[in-house]
Amino acid sequence: MAFQLSRIMRPDDANVAGNVHGGTILKMIEEAGAIISTRHCNSQNGERCVAALARVERTDFLSPMCIGEVAHVSAEITYTSKHSVEVQVNVLSENILTGAKKLTNKATLWYVPLSLKNVDKVLEVPPVVYSRQEQEEEGRKRYEAQKLERMETKWRNGDIVQPVLNPEPNTVSYSQSSLIHLVGPSDCTLHGFVHGGVTMKLMDEVAGIVAARHCKTNIVTASVDAINFHDKIRKGFVITISGRMTFTSNKSMEIEVLVDADPVVDSSQKRYRAASAFFTYVSLSQEGRSLPVPQLVPETEDEKKRFEEGKGRYLQMKAKRQGQAEPQP
């Protein structure tokens, strides 16, 4: 099963330099994933459902997309477990004047089907037919790996970003930022909870503010580590999206983004962590060339610990890219 959506990029999709926001691309990726997974989960007779986003694996922004180009987002279901669907998405940009196309993004998303009668009830997923036997086993390994990482991430995500008065430049406190958003009907599915793509777009916006405050230049999203959606966010909730710098290399910045949901009109429910992720940004000159990034100055023990953890992720990904670049024998 495959699905494709396309649309032209408009000025309100882009930053001041004319590059399309990473959050805009993430939102389109999620829309395509939600459509194909919801279609699949309703392909057999049974209780009707809607597919909700549970996780987005790491995605790299391979090439910038500009105003006036057409984004082609293609989605395909590549694995199903009993209660989840894996969707692979590719994004191409097309210059409609020359016809030239280039790959800008590749992403893997996981969805779970929620009953329309009770959105807290997860339904079973119809199985897919694999073209070769190895595909199912490879998919099962990916499923088990992401399931384990989601649980580990949920347990270590208890802290909160706190404001600091008169912070020094290049410190974590200096650039950290928060956005408070009241969830309205336009943010939600027809069933009253927030689209995953809306949340990702807001997360990217906050991460971009943190990056811009830190280096005071034009910035672009380079990659997003796995985004985990720990719980649903309902219409009428107030969400706080907080971002803080965790690590800088010579030319990149890692920013942790946390999403907390507050059911302000329901005193029986407490504030909870709804989503979390790490975004990586790079600093660019007006000509679009990569610039050095001011080095982050961690002050507290927690900041130093997060810096070392970020450094570990950076070195691990750098080694992986170098390994992929080596010629095969």
Side-chain angles (χ1 to χ4, degrees):
M1 182 184 291
F3 172 79
Q4 180 170 315
L5 64 83
S6 302
R7 77 170 177 86
I8 195 165
M9 295 293 98
R10 303 181 301 268
D12 56 349
D13 294 316
N15 60 21
V16 293
N19 295 323
V20 173
H21 283 294
T24 299
I25 303 300
L26 290 172
K27 189 170 184 288
M28 291 184 66
I29 287 172
E30 197 278 328
E31 287 173 354
I35 291 170
I36 192 172
S37 52
T38 298
R39 278 181 177 172
H40 176 75
C41 291
N42 288 283
S43 60
Q44 296 183 358
N45 293 330
E47 193 171 344
R48 298 296 93 182
C49 62
V50 60
L53 182 63
R55 176 179 167 90
V56 181
E57 301 292 354
R58 178 186 172 90
T59 177
D60 294 306
F61 289 76
L62 307 173
S63 181
M65 191 177 298
C66 301
I67 296 171
E69 293 184 329
V70 174
H72 299 283
V73 184
S74 57
E76 180 181 7
I77 291 175
T78 48
Y79 178 75
T80 57
S81 69
K82 185 177 181 180
H83 295 293
S84 65
V85 180
E86 181 191 53
V87 181
Q88 302 275 359
V89 181
N90 289 333
V91 183
L92 292 174
S93 66
E94 177 192 3
N95 184 319
I96 53 177
L97 300 179
T98 65
K101 293 182 179 180
K102 56 187 176 183
L103 180 68
T104 64
N105 296 83
K106 298 174 71 175
T108 302
L109 304 89
W110 294 89
Y111 289 83
V112 293
L114 305 180
S115 167
L116 294 185
K117 297 178 181 178
N118 176 10
V119 293
D120 293 319
K121 178 183 177 183
V122 178
L123 301 180
E124 291 191 12
V125 176
V128 295
V129 178
Y130 302 97
S131 59
R132 54 186 178 87
Q133 188 174 357
E134 295 82 0
Q135 282 183 315
E136 184 174 9
E137 184 57 34
E138 291 165 357
R140 185 180 294 110
K141 290 178 181 178
R142 295 192 300 271
Y143 167 75
E144 294 296 339
Q146 65 85 27
K147 183 178 179 181
L148 178 62
E149 188 174 330
R150 281 189 69 220
M151 293 303 299
E152 290 177 348
T153 304
K154 187 170 185 177
W155 287 116
R156 69 171 183 258
N157 258 341
D159 56 346
I160 298 173
V161 178
Q162 298 286 2
V164 175
L165 293 176
N166 302 317
E168 294 292 325
N170 298 337
T171 62
V172 175
S173 302
Y174 184 80
S175 59
Q176 70 182 27
S177 304
S178 294
L179 184 154
I180 298 174
H181 180 76
L182 174 63
V183 176
S186 63
D187 299 319
C188 298
T189 68
L190 296 176
H191 315 291
F193 55 88
V194 177
H195 286 288
V198 170
T199 305
M200 290 194 291
K201 192 172 188 299
L202 291 170
M203 293 172 79
D204 180 74
E205 183 176 332
V206 170
I209 293 170
V210 174
R213 279 181 168 172
H214 180 75
C215 60
K216 294 181 171 55
T217 62
N218 180 38
I219 45 86
V220 294
T221 314
S223 65
V224 185
D225 207 354
I227 304 176
N228 290 292
F229 293 82
H230 309 299
D231 209 338
K232 296 185 294 298
I233 305 169
R234 298 180 186 274
K235 182 172 62 179
F237 282 23
V238 171
I239 54 175
T240 303
I241 306 98
S242 304
R244 62 186 172 196
M245 193 81 64
T246 51
F247 170 76
T248 55
S249 67
N250 290 332
K251 291 190 176 181
S252 67
M253 301 162 273
E254 183 191 72
I255 296 146
E256 183 180 29
V257 182
L258 308 172
V259 180
D260 294 310
D262 188 358
V264 289
V265 297
D266 185 355
S267 58
S268 65
Q269 268 191 293
K270 296 182 179 179
R271 179 183 173 117
Y272 60 91
R273 178 65 39 83
S276 58
F278 290 99
F279 285 69
T280 298
Y281 278 74
V282 293
S283 174
L284 298 179
S285 68
Q286 292 183 346
E287 294 76 29
R289 297 190 181 93
S290 179
L291 292 174
V293 170
Q295 290 305 288
L296 182 66
V297 181
E299 298 176 298
T300 68
E301 289 303 314
D302 283 343
E303 289 172 0
K304 292 174 183 177
K305 180 182 177 182
R306 287 193 292 269
F307 186 92
E308 290 303 317
E309 291 171 347
K311 183 178 180 180
R313 287 186 291 269
Y314 167 77
L315 293 174
Q316 185 179 24
M317 188 52 57
K318 184 178 180 180
K320 184 177 179 180
R321 286 197 300 266
Q322 289 175 341
Q324 291 173 342
E326 291 177 0
Q328 298 298 315

